[in-house]
């Protein structure tokens, strides 16, 4: 399951047993039921030196038959993907040694043979200064992981396409941070390297951008396809010239704005090189835009 490699998590965090006791404001049983019913979490606990107890909901999460009997810790470890078992054991060890809680997103294979991506949180229970249990909650996030992995691969594809595109084009996120651009876009703005631009905010790159152009960017973020004329540097001649440009937003999800895409009328540079009069293209939206929409 290599597509999930960037999503796997195995980190520790401060344990609640080290915090001073707080007034009991919640009904633990009600909270457990709420987490199970609304968010799909199942509860489990490791009773040291090495017994595991799993609730019916936890067994469903891991894809194993429910048993009211305690199971060996090895049983739970064997449920995890071979490449992730070491991470799990290291996580448990560091949790015990450092008295830390943990959060993990790791892969499992249940008794039903189905591969799953499981998110877990865990902490320690201490009695009389001695660690007695490791308890936690787990849920199946395989569907969410598939969607996220697809989005990551799609965005990576889009970035690769844009960076190699023989035309001036740039992609910004919703905060107008530059995510990717073509080498031609860099040249049009007298920028030498991708590292000079990618990861920086638009108005940090161009602090003198007039309010009217900033307003166009905001209209694009709001959903308007903005067709405008902007001034660029011809990368061949070094001369400034007005070019038709299109600014449109892209969606990270059905109801979430990802940011905006800027495209420059590349054919106009070619016309300029040939010393011909630049003709306005009032309805320019470009095949590049169509391709981007198809990819995204």
């Amino acid at each position: 399951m290599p597509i999930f490699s960037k999503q796997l998590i195995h980190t520790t965090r401060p344990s609640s047993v080290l915090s001073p006791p707080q007034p009991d404001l919640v009904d633990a049983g009600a909270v457990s039921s709420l987490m199970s019913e609304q968010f799909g979490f199942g509860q489990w606990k490791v009773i040291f030196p090495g017994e595991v107890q799993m609730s019916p909901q936890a067994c469903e999460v891991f894809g194993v038959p429910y048993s009211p009997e305690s199971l060996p810790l090895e049983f739970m470890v064997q449920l995890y993907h071979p490449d992730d078992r070491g991470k799990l054991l290291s996580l448990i060890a560091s949790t015990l040694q450092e008295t830390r809680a943990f959060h993990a997103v790791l892969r499992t294979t249940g008794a039903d043979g189905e591969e799953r991506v499981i998110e877990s949180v865990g902490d320690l229970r201490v009695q009389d200064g001695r660690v007695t249990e490791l308890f936690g909650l787990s849920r199946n996030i395989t569907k969410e992981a598939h969607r996220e992995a697809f989005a990551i691969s799609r965005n990576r594809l889009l970035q690769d396409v844009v960076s190699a595109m023989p035309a001036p084009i740039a992609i910004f996120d919703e905060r107008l941070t530059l995510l990717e651009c073509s080498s031609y876009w860099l040249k049009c703005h007298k920028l030498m390297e991708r590292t000079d631009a990618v990861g920086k905010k638009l108005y940090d790159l161009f602090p003198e951008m007039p309010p009217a152009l900033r307003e166009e960017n905001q209209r694009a973020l709001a959903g308007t396809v903005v067709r405008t004329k902007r001034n660029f540097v011809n990368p061949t001649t070094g001369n400034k010239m007005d070019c038709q440009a299109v600014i449109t937003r892209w969606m990270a999800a059905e109801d979430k704005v990802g940011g905006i895409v800027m495209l420059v009328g590349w054919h106009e540079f070619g016309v300029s090189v040939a010393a011909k009069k630049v003709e306005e293209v009032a309805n320019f939206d470009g095949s590049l835009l169509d391709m981007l929409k198809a990819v995204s």
Side-chain angles (χ1 to χ4, degrees), residues 2-31:
I3 61 172
F4 298 124
S5 59
K6 293 185 179 298
Q7 298 164 267
L8 303 182
I9 298 169
H10 40 100
T11 60
T12 58
R13 54 190 60 196
S15 171
S16 61
V17 301
L18 300 178
S19 304
Q22 300 294 321
D24 189 5
L25 301 178
V26 297
D27 183 329
V31 170

Side-chain angles (χ1 to χ4, degrees), residues 150-216:
F150 176 76
I152 291 172
S153 62
R154 182 188 63 181
N155 290 341
R156 185 66 259 172
L157 170 63
L158 186 58
Q159 290 174 349
D160 290 342
V161 169
V162 168
S163 64
M165 195 171 286
I169 179 172
I171 300 179
F172 297 84
D173 68 12
E174 75 280 7
R175 297 181 180 179
L176 298 185
T177 300
L178 183 62
L179 301 179
E180 191 55 78
C181 64
S182 65
S183 59
Y184 290 89
W185 189 86
L186 292 172
K187 293 176 182 178
C188 287
H189 292 89
K190 292 186 176 180
L191 298 169
M192 300 301 296
E193 303 289 343
R194 286 182 68 262
T195 53
D196 296 333
V198 173
K200 297 181 181 179
K201 294 187 179 299
L202 176 62
Y203 301 136
D204 290 338
L205 289 171
F206 310 110
E208 298 181 359
M209 182 176 289
L213 301 190
R214 296 181 184 226
E215 190 270 337
E216 288 181 345

Side-chain angles (χ1 to χ4, degrees), residues 16-284:
S16 61
V17 301
L18 300 178
S19 304
Q22 300 294 321
D24 189 5
L25 301 178
V26 297
D27 183 329
V31 170
S32 178
S33 297
L34 182 65
M35 296 293 287
S36 175
E37 294 170 5
Q38 299 297 322
F39 299 103
F41 280 99
Q43 189 168 1
W44 50 264
K45 61 181 178 180
V46 178
I47 305 171
F48 294 107
E51 291 185 347
V52 174
Q53 293 181 354
M54 302 174 68
S55 70
Q57 294 87 351
C59 289
E60 183 178 350
V61 166
F62 283 91
V64 297
Y66 170 67
S67 171
E69 305 296 328
S70 295
L71 301 166
L73 178 58
E74 290 81 5
F75 173 80
M76 190 175 193
V77 173
Q78 290 297 318
L79 294 176
Y80 281 83
H81 188 282
D83 293 342
D84 290 352
R85 290 171 189 164
K87 299 173 185 176
L88 176 66
L89 291 172
S90 296
L91 204 54
I92 293 175
S94 61
T95 298
L96 292 172
Q97 293 169 1
E98 304 170 17
T99 317
R100 305 277 289 178
F102 73 82
H103 172 224
V105 176
L106 300 171
R107 299 162 294 177
T108 69
T109 303
D112 54 8
E114 180 181 343
E115 293 183 329
R116 294 171 168 83
V117 180
I118 303 297
E119 179 181 25
S120 301
V121 290
D123 203 349
L124 300 172
R125 179 169 285 119
V126 177
Q127 293 181 352
D128 300 325
R130 184 173 65 90
V131 176
T132 59
E133 292 179 1
L134 172 67
F135 68 95
L137 299 168
S138 295
R139 64 171 176 167
N140 186 344
I141 61 167
T142 306
K143 291 182 179 179
E144 293 87 342
H146 271 292
R147 286 196 293 266
E148 184 178 347
F150 176 76
I152 291 172
S153 62
R154 182 188 63 181
N155 290 341
R156 185 66 259 172
L157 170 63
L158 186 58
Q159 290 174 349
D160 290 342
V161 169
V162 168
S163 64
M165 195 171 286
I169 179 172
I171 300 179
F172 297 84
D173 68 12
E174 75 280 7
R175 297 181 180 179
L176 298 185
T177 300
L178 183 62
L179 301 179
E180 191 55 78
C181 64
S182 65
S183 59
Y184 290 89
W185 189 86
L186 292 172
K187 293 176 182 178
C188 287
H189 292 89
K190 292 186 176 180
L191 298 169
M192 300 301 296
E193 303 289 343
R194 286 182 68 262
T195 53
D196 296 333
V198 173
K200 297 181 181 179
K201 294 187 179 299
L202 176 62
Y203 301 136
D204 290 338
L205 289 171
F206 310 110
E208 298 181 359
M209 182 176 289
L213 301 190
R214 296 181 184 226
E215 190 270 337
E216 288 181 345
N217 298 334
Q218 293 305 312
R219 286 199 292 123
L221 280 171
T224 301
V225 177
V226 177
R227 294 177 175 85
T228 184
K229 183 178 288 187
R230 292 193 175 186
N231 192 261
F232 298 93
V233 176
N234 187 312
T236 302
T237 66
N239 298 325
K240 290 186 176 181
M241 59 182 293
D242 288 334
C243 292
Q244 299 291 329
V246 173
I247 310 168
T248 184
R249 75 179 181 184
W250 61 275
M251 304 297 291
E254 184 176 348
D255 58 351
K256 184 180 185 303
V257 176
I260 60 175
V261 180
M262 292 185 177
L263 305 97
V264 182
W266 183 233
H267 77 286
E268 295 173 301
F269 290 119
V271 173
S272 175
V273 170
K276 296 181 180 179
K277 181 180 179 181
V278 176
E279 298 179 356
E280 293 187 3
V281 183
N283 195 35
F284 170 77

